[in-house]
């Protein structure tokens, strides 16, 4: 079926299902198997040398996971997707597929704390340099690009500041340097709020742990390939050149527009091993069926709660991209649909101590480090997700000591507002 003709809400339910599956089952089956029987030795050889697609071993491929990958690829309109065990694994596999020792990646300053650590510490130790742009203008990215740059990386909406990347401008800068633009679209909620492929991104990574799963029940990450980047420009011999791990096979010649996502599977998953559990892929499939409904509810509740808190005397400021005075309001309107964001940040009046007292006084909203969950979550980035950052890195990432990140859940927003009011009433300022 050509899913491009169908609306998002239809694709999130139908893509990845096999109508001719021989049990007649309505949904996808969970295949809890590590390995698959070969028909004969020739069949095995064809699978191993990539001349025939098929299941060998669940580290590389699993039918439940394939169905889930097909669904996500259809939602984003990509040529293919690869599911991995976490968002961090998706970023690691993507970056190491593109860059080798001595190469560099140019990245936005507004990064999730975990990404920051992977980039600044682990990848640096592997000899891949990450150059963080000094500000978010296209010129700031451009000035860091050189002949060893292999990608430009940005979060479509930064965690936790909600700074929106100027996707179109960044894609232009990356393409004029002959490198792909990789967008972490976790805040774009599986493509429902934002699809960076519409704006020139070449590769999407998404922490499926968040909105794709939507219920806080599993970890996962997904890489999606637009199929549009030209890997034949000489900068990517590991894609357009002899593959040492496959007897000199040229992935670009063998797999055409799907070369990158194939590489992530046959090298990235094979060698790094961050494969998802088939059961978790099943949970992601179920989560996706209601993605748009959940996100619409959450975006509307986010607006209500942000407006309510902005009027509260114990609140110093509310940073919500839906407010016209938000510095990223215009970019949100350009790149994000359906209400823009299900996350916003708040600074209370008072100190770090009163902020902690407020968090501990919430009864419904959970104090966790999570977003996109069906439960409303309040996070204190300075003491959790961004704890490993230095003070100057914290400020550069827009994280102040009393900042709270709020991810609005699926409860009735009236109850959440009452919970916040009650907790605010317990603090003295
Ligand atoms: C959570 C998150 C990640 C990491 O994903 P995990 O599934 O937790 O490994 C990466 N990027 C962003 C923007 C995130 O919010």
């Amino acid at each position: 079926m050509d899913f491009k003709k169908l609306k998002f809400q239809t694709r999130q339910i139908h893509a990845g299902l096999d109508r001719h599956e021989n049990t007649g089952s309505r949904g996808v089956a969970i295949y809890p198997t590590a390995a698959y029987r070969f028909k004969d030795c020739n069949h095995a050889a064809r699978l191993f040398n990539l001349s025939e697609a098929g299941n060998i071993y669940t580290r590389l491929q699993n039918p439940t996971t394939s169905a889930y990958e097909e669904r996500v690829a259809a939602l984003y309109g990509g040529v293919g997707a690869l599911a991995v065990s976490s968002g961090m694994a998706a970023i690691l596999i993507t970056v190491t597929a593109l860059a080798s020792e001595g190469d560099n990646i140019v990245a936005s300053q507004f990064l999730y704390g975990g990404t920051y650590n992977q980039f600044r510490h682990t990848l640096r130790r592997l000899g891949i340099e990450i150059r963080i742009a000094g500000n978010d203008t296209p010129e700031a990215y451009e000035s860091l690009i050189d002949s060893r740059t292999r990608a430009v990386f940005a979060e479509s909406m930064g965690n936790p500041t909600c700074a929106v990347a100027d996707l179109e401008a960044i894609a232009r800068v990356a393409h004029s340097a002959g490198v792909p633009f990789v967008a972490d679209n976790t805040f774009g909620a599986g493509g429902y709020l934002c699809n960076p492929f519409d704006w020139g991104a070449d590769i999407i990574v998404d922490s499926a742990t968040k909105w794709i799963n939507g219920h806080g029940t599993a970890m996962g990450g997904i890489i999606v390939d637009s199929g549009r980047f030209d890997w034949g420009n000489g900068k990517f011999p590991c894609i357009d050149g002899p593959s040492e791990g496959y007897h000199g096979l040229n992935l670009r010649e063998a797999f055409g527009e799907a070369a990158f996502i194939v590489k992530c599977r046959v090298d990235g998953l094979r060698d790094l091993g961050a494969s998802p559990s088939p059961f978790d892929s099943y949970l992601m499939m179920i989560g996706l069926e209601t993605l748009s409904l959940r996100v619409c509810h959450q975006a509307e509740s986010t607006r209500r709660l942000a407006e309510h808190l902005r009027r509260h005397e114990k609140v110093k400021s509310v940073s919500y991209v839906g407010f016209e005075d938000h510095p990223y309001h215009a970019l949100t309107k350009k790149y994000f649909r359906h209400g823009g964001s299900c996350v916003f940040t708040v600074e209370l009046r008072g100190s770090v101590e009163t902020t902690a007292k407020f968090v501990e006084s919430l009864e419904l909203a959970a104090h966790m480090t999570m977003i996109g969950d069906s439960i409303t979550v309040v996070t204190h980035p300075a003491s959790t997700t961004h704890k490993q950052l230095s003070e100057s890195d914290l400020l550069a990432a827009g994280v102040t000591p009393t900042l709270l990140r709020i991810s609005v859940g699926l409860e009735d927003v009236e109850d959440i507002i009452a919970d916040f009011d009650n907790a605010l009433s317990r603090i003295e300022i």
Side-chain angles (χ1 to χ4, degrees), residues 86-88 91 112 115 155 159 184 186 207 209-210 219-220 371:
S86 69
M88 293 314 303
I91 296 169
Y112 170 67
T115 306
E155 295 178 11
N159 183 357
D184 177 335
T186 303
S207 167
T209 314
K210 317 294 172 47
M219 299 291 304
I371 50 176

Side-chain angles (χ1 to χ4, degrees), residues 376-398:
T376 295
V377 177
V378 174
T379 313
H380 185 207
S383 68
T384 56
T385 50
H386 287 64
K387 176 104 181 98
Q388 276 86 29
L389 273 64
S390 69
E391 215 150 280
S392 60
D393 286 347
L394 276 179
L395 287 181

Side-chain angles (χ1 to χ4, degrees), residues 86-163:
S86 69
M88 293 314 303
I91 296 169
L92 181 67
I93 288 176
T94 300
V95 171
T96 53
L98 296 169
S100 305
E101 188 183 6
D103 292 337
N104 67 74
I105 304 287
V106 172
S108 154
Q109 65 185 322
F110 297 113
L111 295 176
Y112 170 67
T115 306
Y116 212 86
N117 285 325
Q118 183 187 100
F119 283 3
R120 289 284 283 263
H121 304 297
T122 302
L123 288 177
R124 179 174 288 175
R125 284 202 294 117
L126 298 178
I128 298 171
E129 183 198 353
I130 308 291
R131 302 179 171 181
I132 306 280
N135 61 58
D136 62 358
T137 61
E139 295 74 31
Y141 290 87
E142 203 162 25
S143 68
L144 298 178
I145 293 177
D146 65 14
S147 63
R148 296 300 300 267
T149 300
R150 289 295 173 269
V152 177
F153 184 100
E155 295 178 11
S156 54
M157 188 180 275
N159 183 357
T161 55
C162 294

Side-chain angles (χ1 to χ4, degrees), residues 30-31 64-65 217-218 276-284:
I30 305 171
Y31 286 91
T64 315
T65 302
T217 56
S277 133
F279 182 70
D280 289 349
S281 297
Y282 173 78
L283 293 175
M284 300 300 179

